[in-house]
Amino acid sequence: MSLTNLLRAASLAAVFVTATPTEAVAKLTDHVNPFLGTATLWEPEDLGYVRKQKNRTWGAEVFPGAALPNAMVQLTPVTMWHAGAGYQYEDPTILGFAHTAMGHWNLIDLPILPVSGKFSADDYASAYSHTNESARPGYYQVYLDRYGVNAELTSALRSGIHRYTFPKKAEKKLLINVAHNQNPVRDWDIKKVGPNAFAGRQGNGFFYYAVTDYPIGDIKILESKQEKGSPVAVVDFKGSKSDRPLEVRIGISTVSIENAKANLEAEVLGKTFGEVAADADSTWEALLSKVNVEGSTDRYRNLLYTTLYRAMLMPRLQSDVNGEFRDNRGNIVKDADFRYYTNPAFWDVHRNQLILLGMMQPDVALDVIKSTIDRGEKSGGYIPSYFHGDHAPTFVIGSYKRGINDFDLSRAYALSLKSATVPGRNGRRYLDEYMKNGYIADENLPDCPFWDEHKGGVTKTLEYAYDDYAVAQIAKELGDSTNYAMLMERSKNYKNVFDPSTGFFRGRIEGGAWLTPYDPGMPYYQQMYREANGWNSLFYAPHDPEGVVALYPSAEAVDAKLDSMLVEPWCGLEVANMTGFIGNYCHGNQPGHNIPYTYYFIGKQEKSQALLNQIMDRFYDMGAEKLAYGGMDDAGEMSAWFVLNALGLYTYSPADPEYIVSVPLFDKVSFKIGDKPFTIIKKGSGNKIGRITVGNETLDGYFIGHDKLAEGDTMTIYTE
């Protein structure tokens, strides 16, 4: 059968499949709302301040399009260039449907828009209505008012299908933004490569191959008059006035057009649109079904499965079906031992998302670690970092101790130890200063604007101390007692930036004096603190919470400090990356996400639970449409925080194979670790945990080891 006839048969079969009535079956994917996290916060009661700037405050910045877990492809609508994941719920027009999205200011490769009639390179966006828009895991649909086109998208791992139903007798065309994504595109190519195929690239790292079920006529380039150097391509089709929908199957690759074609042929070429969409739904159903809950409300059940869905989208696959990938040196590599994944957003997701990934998909987590090792060995021998701090060692040892250990730990250790001890371009910033003084000094800039980027000495010191602890655990595992002792001593460096006169971790200038004047409520992008203020940097030493408490005169002093944080009003500054406040606690950014558990360590666990409940109730379906998060999701970190706390287990110190136990939102939780489900039963409805049993044994304290979860026993939490 010819390619044209094969595609035509697939299209007709898709119409038949989608028209066939099926019995409605309750599924976990029905609880997922891909639009959650796409709206922006506007109201003062949600933001914590009164909006004055024209720029939008950051919301979750997620995409609503079609994707599989950890896939290379994310087929998603674009409503604005250089805005989060490319889609904001309140935007009135759609610019195209892109093939990649990360979740914050990245990717949005090859946006395509079905067009007809009059349009130009500067005027092509279509209005749409949310009443004619829908999404579910692996599927997205919207009606484009300007062109009368119903657009549907579905995807596999490395390829996807667009299905565009035009008005009768309308001439069908595709407008392709060859020179647009989230970053400037200086180099691009598009060409017809067959009667029904076109292909090309954007830059040197994104290649695509597309086949259509209509024969291609011409591909024209239209120059923009308003945006010099940003042309668009227009693909027209022979016989396009037929009533059949236009289907476009596209494979992508970071290696070559040939690999993009192979990805397409292996995944979607012989399948109907309906079959690919059904496969995507089944994939998500199988993954989500590792977690089952009973009791509570439909709202919390929907939030649980939506945040679990959102937490499982990153990192992104980079290996093609033939095993090839382009490494961080730009070389094409073929490795049958592992699938190559993008560098995780370690600063954000080391706290919880990567550990949750390992619990849900240990095979993916293993390959992410192997990818991290490969990337580090090709980057000067330093463990890869992301944005700020180190943190990959936390993921490495935390996963290893949870049983994900089919990798060479000594190779990861060599990278981690070099990052911790050898200053260099790809290592920790200001490491020489940190090793010499035990802290990183901040610049003496008492009137520093909060948006300026500087050293972030306090945050770096706190985080390097925790990273030292993580590397020390690898050293211990491998029997390196000398470096273990040295790193454990350095893990106490968090104490060097604690100011007992104020009770805050505070910036020190060169020579050791405290930075003055000092206002703990003043937020910074990176002066003293990274995207935080003094309040949201409190108590950060996940490896030594008792040591942090001991910095204060008494447990009562810690209690008072926490209570003050929750009632001290936000300073009122409009800071785009800090939203979602309870007093001065900001849930909308990551640095403070461990703070709510501090009450545990002063004998006030019930106060932690009250705060956790308040956070889960307030910050995950906010705004007029109930579609906003109280801050950026950052590759799934905010979502993973909700999932773990809703289940009653949180990765307080992710480098350690244990979880702090809290009161779950549900009466019964069943969580499958490997082949065995671990069950959590909640008895009572109070915030105070009176007793925790695991099997026939009473748990000593509030931490449960991962080994206990893996045994598939039952934990009962008795509340008062």
Side-chain angles (χ1 to χ4, degrees), residues 110-161:
L110 199 70
I112 292 178
L113 189 71
V115 295
S116 187
K118 293 183 179 180
F119 58 88
S120 71
D122 297 310
D123 179 17
Y124 56 83
S126 174
Y128 72 105
S129 169
H130 294 304
T131 59
N132 291 319
E133 183 184 35
S134 63
R136 62 179 185 268
Y139 174 86
Y140 172 84
Q141 171 275 329
V142 67
Y143 183 82
L144 301 174
D145 294 339
R146 176 170 179 171
Y147 304 109
V149 173
N150 188 54
E152 297 173 274
L153 312 172
T154 191
S155 66
L157 281 174
R158 308 167 183 87
S159 51
I161 307 178

Side-chain angles (χ1 to χ4, degrees), residues 65-76 98-100 110 138-139 153-162 206-211 248-254 257 259-273 276-277 279-280 316-317 319-321:
L68 290 185
N70 305 104
M72 185 183 295
V73 163
Q74 296 83 38
L75 266 177
T76 189
H99 295 77
T100 60
L110 199 70
Y139 174 86
L153 312 172
T154 191
S155 66
L157 281 174
R158 308 167 183 87
S159 51
I161 307 178
H162 305 237
F206 180 86
F207 300 88
Y208 60 93
Y209 186 92
V211 297
V248 185
R249 288 165 167 76
I250 296 184
I252 69 172
S253 169
T254 64
I257 290 175
N259 278 18
K261 180 181 180 183
N263 291 341
L264 165 71
E265 292 175 341
E267 294 181 348
V268 300
L269 185 59
K271 294 184 177 181
T272 69
F273 184 100
V276 174
D279 287 346
R316 298 172 61 249
L317 179 67
S319 297
D320 293 323
V321 291

